[in-house]
């Protein structure tokens, strides 16, 4: 029986952030494998998806009325290609667990398919533009995120945060707005982006063919976009995948042609590590230092 997963979103970037004073704890719930947090935009509060794969804050046209921006041509892209009818929206107030983030330009599009798939009202998507000045830690055991504000050099504004030393540190490379890490799989080296908006790990079909890598399909999955498009894709698993000396447990992975995503970001991106990867350990991303931190249980 096919299951469904909704992919990440990509859009043009508008950004104007002001740092908060201290680390911000953010409780979340899971809808499928999507991270759902509570936020408020211009006084309208409700459920938002945390999607680090989206450069912008994206708002649902059911709840927010956008306008056509004559000075830019915003575009949202997923694995099925471009999504039409994208409008702009000026955020005067964005509140995240009581903390106000600065004004910014958001995008507005129809998210009815996303709401239908998750059977809940979804006001929008919190993307990279809202969190890029922070270090973000994912703690799935306690269903909590932590946003630690950073100085320009990537060190913590709150000095007490520096006493929490990670077990491992890995280098990241920014592919557009998506942080990526080098992984080793069956003797090959791949560059995979880290995307909290992807409900499953994804490998690019073209890359696998060039690298002569084979993922044994054990199942199939119906991949849905924010529009009405659907695609049946093979599902397999990764064993022996490692990041330096860390070998996460076997993870499910789908194989998809990521040509639309690679065209928007970088041809160096060979796939995406989604929420199943972030659930493996307590993981943090420091955007300014370009580091991935890992806290292993002793």
């Amino acid at each position: 029986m096919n299951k469904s997963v909704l992919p990440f979103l990509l859009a043009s970037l508008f950004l104007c952030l002001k740092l908060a004073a201290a680390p911000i704890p953010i409780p979340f719930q899971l809808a499928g494998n999507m991270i759902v947090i509570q936020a408020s935009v211009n006084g309208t509060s409700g459920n938002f998806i945390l999607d680090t794969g989206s450069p912008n804050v994206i708002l649902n046209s059911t709840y927010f009325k956008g306008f056509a921006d004559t000075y830019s041509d915003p575009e949202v892209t997923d694995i099925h290609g471009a999504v039409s009818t994208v409008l702009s929206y000026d955020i005067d107030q964005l509140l995240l667990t009581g903390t106000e983030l600065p004004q910014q330009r958001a995008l507005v599009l129809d998210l009815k398919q996303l709401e239908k798939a998750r059977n809940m009202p979804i006001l929008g998507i919190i993307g990279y533009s809202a969190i890029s000045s922070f270090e973000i830690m994912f703690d799935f055991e306690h269903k909590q995120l932590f946003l630690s504000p950073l100085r320009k050099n990537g060190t913590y504004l709150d000095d007490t945060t520096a006493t929490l030393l990670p077990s491992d540190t890995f280098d990241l490379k920014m592919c557009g707005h998506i942080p990526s890490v080098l992984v080793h799989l069956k003797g090959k080296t791949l560059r995979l982006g880290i995307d909290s908006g992807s409900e499953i790990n994804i490998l690019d079909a073209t890359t696998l063919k060039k690298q002569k890598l084979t993922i044994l399909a054990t199942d199939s999955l119906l991949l849905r976009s924010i529009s009405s498009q659907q695609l049946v894709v093979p599902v397999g698993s990764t064993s022996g995948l490692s990041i330096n000396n860390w070998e996460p447990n076997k993870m499910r992975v789908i194989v998809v042609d990521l040509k639309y995503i690679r065209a928007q970001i970088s041809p160096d991106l060979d796939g995406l590590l989604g929420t199943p990867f972030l659930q493996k350990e307590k993981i943090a991303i420091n955007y300014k230092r370009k580091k991935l931190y890992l806290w292993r249980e002793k």
Side-chain angles (χ1 to χ4, degrees):
M1 179 178 180
N2 289 334
K3 297 181 181 179
S4 65
V5 56
L6 282 146
F8 46 88
L9 301 169
L10 301 173
S12 56
L13 173 64
F14 300 89
L15 173 61
C16 177
L17 282 180
K18 180 180 179 182
L19 295 181
I24 306 167
I26 304 171
F28 68 83
Q29 60 176 313
L30 286 175
N33 264 344
M34 285 187 159
I35 299 172
V36 180
I37 60 177
Q38 297 299 305
S40 174
V41 171
N42 292 357
T44 301
S45 303
N47 301 318
F48 286 77
I49 303 295
L50 178 72
D51 182 3
T52 60
S54 171
N56 291 79
V57 174
I58 297 178
L59 302 176
N60 191 341
S61 59
T62 299
Y63 311 101
F64 299 91
K65 185 177 180 180
F67 61 88
D69 190 345
T70 57
Y71 297 99
S72 66
D73 185 20
E75 183 178 273
V76 173
T77 304
D78 63 16
I79 61 170
H80 300 277
V83 178
S84 60
T85 316
V86 180
L87 300 175
S88 297
Y89 185 92
D90 289 325
I91 295 179
D92 297 320
Q93 186 185 61
L94 171 58
L95 292 175
L96 206 58
T97 61
T99 299
E100 184 172 357
L101 302 181
Q103 302 171 5
Q104 57 185 281
R105 176 66 59 83
L107 302 180
V108 178
L109 66 152
D110 188 347
L111 298 180
K112 289 189 181 69
Q113 290 295 326
L114 181 59
E115 291 187 300
K116 182 179 179 181
R118 291 295 158 255
N119 194 30
M120 64 190 305
I122 296 174
L123 274 64
I125 295 165
I126 302 296
Y128 167 84
S129 64
I131 61 173
S132 59
S133 292
F134 299 87
E135 176 183 295
I136 181 168
M137 176 190 284
F138 298 86
D139 184 353
F140 281 84
E141 181 183 357
H142 301 98
K143 288 189 170 54
Q144 200 165 36
L145 307 170
F146 288 91
L147 288 183
S148 297
L150 305 171
R151 299 185 178 95
K152 289 184 178 180
N153 63 359
T155 58
Y156 302 112
L157 283 180
D158 181 4
D159 292 331
T160 60
T161 307
T163 62
L164 303 174
L165 300 178
S167 306
D168 282 294
T169 301
F170 307 102
D171 292 329
L172 295 174
K173 174 185 175 182
M174 296 301 296
C175 294
H177 61 282
I178 296 183
S180 66
V181 64
L182 288 177
V183 306
H184 304 285
L185 179 64
K186 299 180 180 179
K188 306 292 184 178
T189 300
L190 305 176
R191 181 167 292 282
L192 303 182
I194 301 172
D195 180 3
S196 70
S198 180
E199 293 194 84
I200 194 168
N201 305 304
I202 303 173
L203 293 179
D204 177 51
T206 302
T207 297
L208 295 185
K209 185 176 180 180
K210 288 182 178 179
Q211 295 272 31
K212 297 181 179 179
L213 281 169
T214 301
I215 301 298
L216 180 63
T218 57
D219 199 357
S220 63
L221 178 146
L222 183 63
L223 188 65
R224 298 179 178 177
S225 71
I226 56 174
S227 64
S228 59
Q229 298 184 68
Q230 301 179 2
L231 180 67
V232 177
V233 296
V235 181
S237 62
T238 60
S239 57
L241 184 147
S242 65
I243 305 174
N244 289 356
N245 63 333
W246 178 41
E247 294 188 14
N249 294 332
K250 184 184 296 185
M251 295 182 292
R252 286 184 7 123
V253 61
I254 62 174
V255 178
V256 182
D257 188 346
L258 293 176
K259 61 183 178 181
Y260 295 112
I261 304 304
R262 289 162 63 91
Q264 291 289 327
I265 301 178
S266 168
D268 296 329
L269 205 58
D270 301 316
L272 295 167
L273 294 169
T275 47
F277 167 76
L278 294 171
Q279 293 178 32
K280 291 297 180 181
E281 302 283 356
K282 192 178 293 184
I283 292 174
I285 298 170
N286 188 309
Y287 286 99
K288 292 193 172 183
R289 281 193 164 184
K290 298 181 178 63
K291 298 291 183 183
L292 177 74
Y293 300 129
L294 172 69
W295 280 264
R296 284 202 196 97
E297 294 296 334
K298 298 297 184 183

